[in-house]
Amino acid sequence: MPKHLRFGLVVVLLGVALATAASASFSSYVRPAVGTGGEGYGNHFGGYYYGDEYIRVFSHTHMVGSGVLDYGNIGVMPITKSPNLLLLSNYAYRSQFSHQSEVMNPGYYAVTLEDYSIRAELTATKRVGLHRYTFPSTATARNILFPISHALHDGACKGANVNVDINNQEVSGWMLNAGGLSGRFGGVKTYFVAQFGAVGPRFTSHGVWDLASSQLSPGSASINGTHVGAWIGFESGAVSTVVEMYIGLSFVSLDNARLNLKTELWNGKLSFDLALNQTQSEWEGLLGRFEVTGGDVVELVKFYTAAYHAFLAPTTFNDVNGQYLGFDSRVHLMPAGRSWYSDMSIWDTHRTQSPLLALVLPDVMSDIVNSLVLMFQQGGDLPRWPMANGYTGTMSATHADVVVADAYLKGVRGFDVDQAMKALVQSATQPQRYAGRENIDEWLKYGYVSYASNHKAAILTLEYAFDDWAVANMAAALNNSAAAELFYNRSKNYRNVWNAEEQFFCPKSRDPSSGAVAWACPPWYDYLNPFDTRYEEGDAWHWRWFVPHDPKGLIALFGGVDKFVEQLMEFFDYSNLDQFNILPNPYYWAGNEPDIFAAWLFTFAGRPDLTQKYTRMVMSTRYSGLPDGLPGNDDYGTMSAWYMFAALGFYPQAGSTTYIAVVHLANNTRLVITAHNANADNIYVAVNGRPWPSWFIDHAQLVGGTNNGTASLEFWMGPTASAPA
């Protein structure tokens, strides 16, 4: 990741001259535990769950706030007991822990394993996990377990191998994981090589086990199976009680895992502490792209924690030599200085996290789009939710269209544009083998998907219209007027599933024989049922507002601004009766994606004051610095990026260069955002006698400043709403 990018961001969120961030590191405001607690959306999706009392293993591959169990592979665990089958079965070697003993910072985690009085510390480089275990001096056994078959999804291990090389002080192997998503394409094989610090004791004993056959083999060095593992033991009489262990990973080969380990640890010269300093410095630089001054600690914690979460994904999948396993299951080579990314929750991230990266880290976004284009070239389809080197096919529509178009329109380059456009047109016009649009034949023929063919017909129609609009925007940018006109026209097809009588988007059925059409709107009691199968992860109210590409057209369907604003206010006001993040809110649901654009629709209706009111409401009631401080699964930074844009005061209309804002724009590529007179009471943007040219900002105005390379967005805050000049 480059040290300097062309976009810097300075934010004065609350306008008071406290210069808070200047007195502390940016990382000090990050609370990594946010989003790991609470009830209602499942837990352990990322491995760690705040409500747990025990630690089973420290694993090395993880999802980022998703709603599915996968990864959690290459587990290790230090213990002060001698291994036996009873101990190794059902994680009986697990240890209690207390949150009071934890230290969590970007790039660092520490905890005391109470059952063993072992202090465990963890840090990482891009491809290496570093462990430091301090064993008690009184321990008669000092062992490290490698339960290499461990996975978050039960039964996900489809094969594993572990080898102990006592002469070279190395443990190595691989594990094939077929979890909740990776199981859809045959699984992910992760290779690992573990080595140990030059300073510290050597391991002098070892063994392996296979729980499937109740086999425990002290002194054996290798084993294969689906319930296997190994252990190594250090002399209890050794002077040093501190063991440093470094584990290199690769998705290509053992040799590459070893090469990653050697390269990123500078041929063994990089100790735990040096790696920790390097990693924390990288995080500080990344978070420091946002220099926030003013406000109280709570607001700084929420902002920088959101930034931390937004930058956790996607996953760097290539090795230090550039090799990666592609979507054709072949090894490919990335040019020096380029990264191949995977693990992209595109159905979620295209709305907020991808536009954030395009704005703040365009070089990273270039590699992301390039990776998507390479996936298309290798696998034949533009992916919907790529994981590792495979298509998961999860969720709906083809929102990679939006990701690619959004990036290109905002000046991101460094990928094959012709191939990218070919991929977008193919996804919008043809059936695909792995990640296409369901029932695309009906979409192309009738302009909607029939409920008789697919229960999600209404939302598929809405999503396809949005995706086609993004394709049209890219076609227009490439001067392909014919394609632009075709897809712009198709982007209006959302109107085909608007039921004027019900004033909702509803599925409708088309009889294949007679062509007769019949509406299939929910019964009255299901309009507020978030589990209604007619809609994807939401109800009729959530999807009522999903026309992010044509808000003016949506307003017209309601019969005008007044009715639209009235209904949208009702949507938010009733949601505020339930501010808990336990179950899906049947009205505005901050914890899921279909309606997270809704607050910004007020601005299209000429009521930016209501955008200000309701975004502030969501920020203050649905987000916090506590473990349950996210309104749902973060979905690879989607919810966190929403918070960041809301705090900054402008929000992307994904798939275009437009941002919705309520600010005074000084046309002056450093962006300074200032909020004058801001406090808890002054939540509205007021004119204060200054010109207010527009509620909307173009991307070029943010990154193409003309005043010494600086652009300024200024808020003049007040206790009451003002209309634009």
Side-chain angles (χ1 to χ4, degrees):
M1 188 170 293
K3 296 178 67 175
H4 301 287
L5 293 172
R6 63 184 177 87
F7 186 89
L9 190 58
V10 179
V11 188
V12 184
L13 282 179
L14 298 176
V16 289
L18 297 181
T20 314
S23 62
S25 69
F26 304 112
S27 299
S28 68
Y29 296 109
V30 175
R31 302 293 182 267
V34 169
T36 67
E39 301 290 345
Y41 302 99
N43 47 49
H44 299 115
F45 290 139
Y48 183 96
Y49 177 61
Y50 198 81
D52 284 342
E53 298 177 358
Y54 296 90
I55 291 175
R56 289 181 172 183
V57 298
F58 299 115
S59 56
H60 291 76
T61 59
H62 304 94
M63 306 287 273
V64 182
S66 67
V68 64
L69 289 171
D70 215 314
Y71 283 140
N73 307 140
I74 317 302
V76 298
M77 185 67 173
I79 63 172
T80 57
K81 295 179 179 179
S82 297
N84 59 68
L85 287 174
L86 185 61
L87 179 71
L88 297 171
S89 300
N90 299 315
Y91 301 101
Y93 54 78
R94 67 184 186 176
S95 175
Q96 286 189 306
F97 75 103
S98 168
H99 293 305
Q100 281 67 43
S101 78
E102 289 182 302
V103 178
M104 296 187 192
N105 295 311
Y108 180 73
Y109 175 77
V111 68
T112 297
L113 301 175
E114 295 180 350
D115 287 27
Y116 307 117
S117 298
I118 295 174
R119 186 64 175 171
E121 300 172 88
L122 309 174
T123 189
T125 63
K126 271 190 178 180
R127 302 168 182 87
V128 179
L130 293 90
H131 304 239
R132 181 161 63 192
Y133 302 137
T134 302
F135 289 86
S137 59
T138 57
T140 58
R142 300 172 188 169
N143 295 308
I144 297 178
L145 304 179
F146 290 81
I148 213 63
S149 302
H150 176 269
L152 287 175
H153 193 284
D154 288 341
C157 179
K158 303 305 179 185
N161 164 265
V162 62
N163 297 280
V164 181
D165 184 344
I166 194 168
N167 294 324
N168 290 309
Q169 293 287 286
E170 182 180 279
V171 181
S172 61
W174 55 264
M175 188 271 199
L176 177 61
N177 174 80
L181 290 184
S182 56
R184 300 183 182 188
F185 58 86
V188 181
K189 196 171 188 178
T190 304
Y191 298 88
F192 78 95
V193 172
Q195 297 176 355
F196 301 86
V199 178
R202 293 169 59 88
F203 68 84
T204 57
S205 61
H206 59 86
V208 298
W209 73 81
D210 184 349
L211 297 180
S213 60
S214 300
Q215 175 185 350
L216 184 73
S217 303
S220 293
S222 181
I223 199 164
N224 295 278
T226 57
H227 296 80
V228 299
W231 78 88
I232 56 175
F234 298 83
E235 289 181 318
S236 59
V239 175
S240 175
T241 61
V242 179
V243 174
E244 289 193 7
M245 178 173 63
Y246 319 130
I247 299 182
L249 303 179
S250 170
F251 299 104
V252 174
S253 68
L254 272 178
D255 287 342
N256 277 14
R258 192 172 288 110
L259 179 63
N260 290 338
L261 181 61
K262 178 181 179 180
T263 303
E264 295 195 350
L265 295 191
W266 305 348
N267 290 318
K269 297 177 182 179
L270 198 67
S271 66
F272 183 95
D273 285 331
L274 289 174
L276 174 60
N277 290 338
Q278 173 183 288
T279 298
Q280 292 188 323
S281 177
E282 289 178 1
W283 268 115
E284 188 69 9
L286 192 58
L287 296 169
R289 303 193 193 286
F290 303 92
E291 300 175 27
V292 181
T293 61
D296 59 30
V297 171
V298 171
E299 284 150 339
L300 291 169
V301 164
K302 290 198 290 185
F303 184 85
Y304 280 109
T305 299
Y308 167 74
H309 284 144
F311 292 147
L312 284 174
T315 302
T316 302
F317 203 69
N318 62 288
D319 294 324
V320 293
N321 60 4
Q323 290 184 345
Y324 69 94
L325 195 64
F327 269 49
D328 54 3
S329 297
R330 297 178 180 178
V331 176
H332 296 267
L333 185 66
M334 289 298 295
R338 300 298 301 268
S339 294
W340 195 84
Y341 289 104
S342 191
D343 299 348
M344 305 182 200
S345 186
I346 291 175
W347 190 81
D348 309 294
T349 59
H350 77 274
R351 308 160 203 261
T352 57
Q353 194 249 8
S354 293
L356 179 69
L357 295 181
L359 179 65
V360 181
L361 299 174
D363 291 353
V364 172
M365 197 64 209
S366 173
D367 282 347
I368 291 171
V369 176
N370 186 50
S371 300
L372 291 173
V373 174
L374 290 172
M375 292 173 190
F376 163 72
Q377 292 176 308
Q378 295 158 8
D381 295 0
L382 200 60
R384 183 186 300 153
W385 207 118
M387 180 181 182
N389 67 308
Y391 294 99
T392 68
T394 193
M395 304 310 294
S396 54
T398 55
H399 294 320
D401 301 341
V402 181
V403 173
V404 174
D406 186 89
Y408 181 79
L409 293 166
K410 291 171 180 171
V412 174
R413 298 295 185 268
F415 57 92
D416 190 324
V417 176
D418 291 337
Q419 284 292 303
M421 192 63 202
K422 178 182 177 182
L424 266 60
V425 171
Q426 179 177 304
S427 70
T429 60
Q430 300 176 26
Q432 309 245 31
R433 181 178 180 184
Y434 301 109
R437 301 185 185 185
E438 300 172 60
N439 306 102
I440 191 172
D441 54 336
E442 293 184 342
W443 165 253
L444 297 176
K445 187 174 182 179
Y446 305 121
Y448 64 92
V449 176
S450 171
Y451 185 64
S453 303
N454 196 313
H455 278 210
K456 297 183 298 182
I459 69 102
L460 292 178
T461 300
L462 296 175
E463 292 188 300
Y464 297 171
F466 175 41
D467 292 339
D468 276 352
W469 173 77
V471 177
N473 285 341
M474 186 157 177
L478 294 173
N479 297 316
N480 188 338
S481 57
E485 181 179 7
L486 169 69
F487 291 113
Y488 278 136
N489 288 337
R490 282 177 24 177
S491 74
K492 302 294 184 180
N493 285 343
Y494 67 87
R495 296 175 294 193
N496 292 336
V497 290
W498 176 257
N499 186 296
E501 181 178 352
E502 297 290 335
Q503 293 277 286
F504 280 88
F505 290 111
C506 293
K508 61 183 180 181
S509 290
R510 183 183 185 91
D511 186 283
S513 300
S514 66
V517 175
W519 287 102
C521 292
W524 65 267
Y525 51 81
D526 266 346
Y527 276 91
L528 291 168
N529 175 13
F531 304 103
D532 186 353
T533 58
R534 295 171 185 82
Y535 302 91
E536 181 91 81
E537 295 196 2
D539 58 31
W541 273 88
H542 297 142
W543 285 92
R544 194 183 190 191
W545 319 100
F546 191 80
V547 189
H549 60 292
D550 188 16
K552 293 292 187 181
L554 176 63
I555 292 168
L557 293 180
F558 277 82
V561 167
D562 292 343
K563 181 64 178 296
F564 178 81
V565 170
E566 173 194 316
Q567 290 290 289
L568 191 53
M569 288 181 66
E570 179 179 325
F571 182 56
F572 278 93
D573 290 338
Y574 277 107
S575 77
N576 213 26
L577 299 176
D578 177 14
Q579 297 182 7
F580 299 100
N581 297 331
I582 296 176
L583 292 173
N585 195 309
Y587 288 98
Y588 177 75
W589 182 14
N592 211 3
E593 283 72 21
D595 63 355
I596 62 174
F597 190 65
W600 307 92
L601 293 174
F602 286 113
T603 299
F604 288 92
R607 294 297 305 272
D609 57 306
L610 295 179
T611 293
Q612 298 156 26
K613 173 183 176 179
Y614 289 113
T615 54
R616 183 64 65 95
M617 178 194 82
V618 173
M619 293 167 66
S620 62
T621 62
R622 308 305 202 272
Y623 290 82
S624 77
L626 301 176
D628 63 350
L630 284 174
N633 299 320
D634 200 23
D635 289 325
Y636 279 71
T638 300
M639 297 305 164
S640 291
W642 184 97
Y643 182 92
M644 293 182 70
F645 277 120
L648 296 173
F650 59 95
Y651 192 89
Q653 188 177 25
S656 74
T657 60
T658 299
Y659 297 87
I660 303 96
V662 283
V663 298
H664 167 68
L665 177 64
N667 188 27
N668 291 319
T669 277
R670 179 176 174 88
L671 173 64
V672 180
I673 302 175
T674 307
H676 301 281
N677 307 318
N679 56 45
D681 296 321
N682 293 345
I683 68 171
Y684 296 102
V685 178
V687 175
N688 287 350
R690 292 172 173 81
W692 199 324
S694 177
W695 301 116
F696 303 95
I697 302 170
D698 190 83
H699 183 79
Q701 294 171 293
L702 296 181
V703 300
T706 58
N707 183 12
N708 296 320
T710 298
S712 296
L713 299 179
E714 297 188 64
F715 297 73
W716 276 270
M717 309 302 293
T720 58
S722 298

